Amino acid sequence: VWTTTAGSLGTIAGNFSGTVATVAATGDGVEFTETTDVLENASLANCTLASATGIITTTDFGADDTEATTFTFTIRATDDQAQTADRIFTLTSSYSIEGGGQFN
């Protein structure tokens, strides 16, 4: 049973490095895998999903993107009894304006 709500896992700064989000489900020996090729694709979201913990990390979120992008992907939770449950999530990259000014 999923304990992380489907939908947005948040907005992350483009080119961010570190922990992006964590997904969770209950059950015996739950492992997580991506069923799409978006989250872990080096030219898209450019993240790594830890199968045992559900922790999503990156060394360069959004890879070569320079504009805000929403990445939609599916993660499957599988327990020791081989029962599966899929859930669709999104992560959005954000980029600030370089050389931006300030309004007073």
Side-chain angles (χ1 to χ4, degrees):
V1 176
W2 279 100
T3 56
T4 303
T5 304
S8 176
L9 293 175
T11 299
I12 310 300
N15 307 120
F16 171 79
S17 179
T19 299
V20 174
T22 302
V23 294
T26 59
D28 296 328
V30 175
E31 292 202 6
F32 302 94
T33 54
E34 181 188 6
T35 64
T36 50
D37 187 30
V38 175
L39 181 65
E40 297 185 288
N41 188 318
S43 63
L44 295 175
N46 194 35
C47 293
T48 301
L49 172 63
S51 62
T53 62
I55 297 172
I56 301 168
T57 59
T58 185
T59 56
D60 182 13
F61 184 68
D64 296 328
D65 282 352
T66 56
E67 295 181 7
T69 304
T70 297
F71 301 100
T72 302
F73 52 94
T74 302
I75 296 178
R76 175 171 290 157
T78 305
D79 67 12
D80 284 344
Q81 291 77 37
Q83 299 174 95
T84 64
D86 292 353
R87 187 146 285 183
I88 298 171
F89 299 102
T90 63
L91 282 168
T92 302
S93 62
S94 68
Y95 291 86
S96 62
I97 299 172
E98 290 185 31
Q102 175 179 340
F103 293 100
N104 290 324

